Amino acid sequence: MTRLNRRRFLVAASTTGAAAAVTPGTAIAHDSRGRTPNLIGVQADNNTTVIAQHVLDPRTVDITIDSVALGHTASARIILPSRFSAHTGASWPVLHLLHGGYGSYADWTQHSDIQRLARTRDVLVVMPDGGQLGFYTDWWAHGNSKPGWETFHLTELPQIIERGLQAGDRRAIAGLSMGGFGAMSYAGRHPGYFRAAASFSGTLDTLHPTIEPVSSQSFPTWLLEEHYATNGYDPLALFGDPTAQRTVWAAHNPADLVPKLRGTKLYVSCGDGRIGPLDPTGTDPSSTPVRYEAAQVRQNREFIERATHTGLDITTDIYPGSHSWPYWARQLENAFPLLMRALKAD
């Protein structure tokens, strides 16, 4: 993705009548309807900058961020708190929602009822871009650490929403599939940063020895060969070689991070690889979404067992169903009360 020149973009924005750059603390404009966010120009400490925004409705805003950690631009969709326009000076709890592999930052509003769920809540819902296969990490990349998705999500973006939208320090995180990995990995790598973490059909053991019934390969070999190499990526750039750089893999792997999740409220759900009530009539039992969920549930059951043995505060739901959006939308609704209680936003 082409990196935009910040100075040229911001000058062009101001000369064409768009909002010009603003300094932290002045990112809220006022009009006859109340406060309207104006985030263009809000910066993180490393000069990562919001370069564009699109107000979709009075409570939903898309922003484009020129990220230093990523080396390119990325987007985030934000749902504002219900009383955002009425409460100046308030700090807001934050719910981060992460998309899955090959997904986008718009997925949760397109496929779930998050806007309805958040309608009466005083919570910022932040749905960031995670890349086609970003896997919620600063890539090992033979020592280059780019793209830096973890830095983007947990340093750059938080500083922007703190300065532009008064985000507070009460945080929860949830995600599906690759995003479920991200939710648990981030929570484990940064103990205490999130009060709650939820995974829906998440990849919870990237070092798991099997991906059956999808393939006879180990999970890391299948992941790198079938998704990264076939899509033109250097398959070793993500975490390195699963054997030579095993410590790198383990440092991001939810299954290895279980002890560091103590004190975080957890919600883990996954289909069991059988056709369930939300699958279309006539769904083929050998279809990829069904078989892949049968593989994922092994990781999830083992993660749940380890978390339970460790004495973690974990709520679980293993159900008949495939790897598909109707189940993730339902699981978000099921997990939402737990997430809001953790944020004290219920």
Side-chain angles (χ1 to χ4, degrees):
M1 187 178 295
T2 302
R3 187 173 177 83
L4 299 183
N5 182 288
R6 294 188 186 92
R7 178 183 295 274
R8 184 168 56 196
F9 182 92
L10 293 172
V11 168
S14 62
T15 58
T16 57
V22 293
T23 57
T26 63
I28 305 300
H30 294 263
D31 62 18
S32 60
R33 297 168 297 175
R35 300 192 307 156
T36 302
N38 175 13
L39 300 177
I40 295 177
V42 176
Q43 292 186 330
D45 288 346
N46 65 355
N47 292 325
T48 288
T49 306
V50 179
I51 59 172
Q53 75 170 29
H54 180 207
V55 178
L56 302 179
D57 62 49
R59 286 186 58 193
T60 310
V61 181
D62 284 356
I63 58 175
T64 303
I65 301 166
D66 187 14
S67 165
V68 173
L70 295 176
H72 57 70
T73 59
S75 298
R77 178 161 292 177
I78 300 168
I79 299 175
L80 301 173
S82 63
R83 294 187 292 172
F84 180 81
S85 63
H87 282 243
T88 59
S91 64
W92 307 105
V94 184
L95 172 62
H96 299 257
L97 288 182
L98 308 181
H99 66 74
Y102 305 101
S104 88
Y105 69 96
D107 281 356
W108 282 106
T109 54
Q110 293 174 347
H111 301 292
S112 81
D113 284 335
I114 182 56
Q115 288 171 303
R116 175 183 60 81
L117 292 171
R119 185 173 299 146
T120 61
R121 305 287 185 168
D122 282 329
V123 61
L124 276 168
V125 181
V126 179
M127 297 160 280
D129 185 7
Q132 177 179 244
L133 289 167
F135 238 87
Y136 300 100
T137 184
D138 290 356
W139 285 31
W140 177 71
H142 309 279
N144 184 41
S145 297
K146 282 189 183 289
W149 288 107
E150 184 170 0
T151 298
F152 172 65
H153 292 136
L154 298 188
T155 300
E156 295 175 342
L157 184 57
Q159 289 175 359
I160 284 169
I161 62 174
E162 286 165 11
R163 294 164 185 178
L165 295 172
Q166 291 81 56
D169 60 3
R170 287 176 288 157
R171 309 177 191 92
I173 189 167
L176 67 95
S177 195
M178 181 182 81
F181 163 88
M184 292 299 168
S185 180
Y186 282 172
R189 285 174 56 78
H190 302 270
Y193 189 81
F194 296 103
R195 297 187 175 196
S199 167
F200 315 132
S201 302
T203 299
L204 300 185
D205 188 355
T206 53
L207 289 168
H208 201 277
T210 182
I211 187 66
E212 293 179 349
V214 175
S215 168
S216 60
Q217 297 171 303
S218 68
F219 183 87
T221 299
W222 172 83
L223 176 69
L224 299 183
E225 290 184 0
E226 296 299 320
H227 292 276
Y228 287 83
T230 59
N231 281 290
Y233 296 103
D234 172 2
L236 299 184
L238 182 61
F239 297 122
D241 181 86
T243 301
Q245 281 76 44
R246 187 178 181 88
T247 56
V248 177
W249 284 75
H252 296 82
N253 187 20
D256 287 295
L257 292 170
V258 164
K260 295 186 177 182
L261 289 165
R262 190 179 301 278
T264 304
K265 291 185 180 299
L266 305 179
Y267 184 97
V268 174
S269 67
C270 190
D272 63 7
R274 294 180 295 164
I275 294 172
L278 302 183
D279 291 300
T281 301
T283 295
D284 184 351
S286 65
S287 64
T288 298
V290 177
R291 289 187 298 119
Y292 186 63
E293 199 74 342
Q296 289 289 84
V297 76
R298 294 188 185 196
Q299 298 184 19
N300 278 258
R301 282 178 168 146
E302 291 170 16
F303 180 92
I304 290 168
E305 182 178 359
R306 188 173 303 184
T308 302
H309 180 74
T310 307
L312 303 189
D313 182 352
I314 184 168
T315 300
T316 67
D317 186 8
I318 304 297
Y319 52 84
S322 63
H323 201 74
S324 57
W325 264 107
Y327 294 103
W328 303 327
R330 184 181 70 180
Q331 287 304 313
L332 175 63
E333 187 149 3
N334 290 348
F336 200 74
L338 179 151
L339 297 169
M340 293 301 101
R341 286 194 299 271
L343 292 173
K344 296 184 178 179
D346 55 342

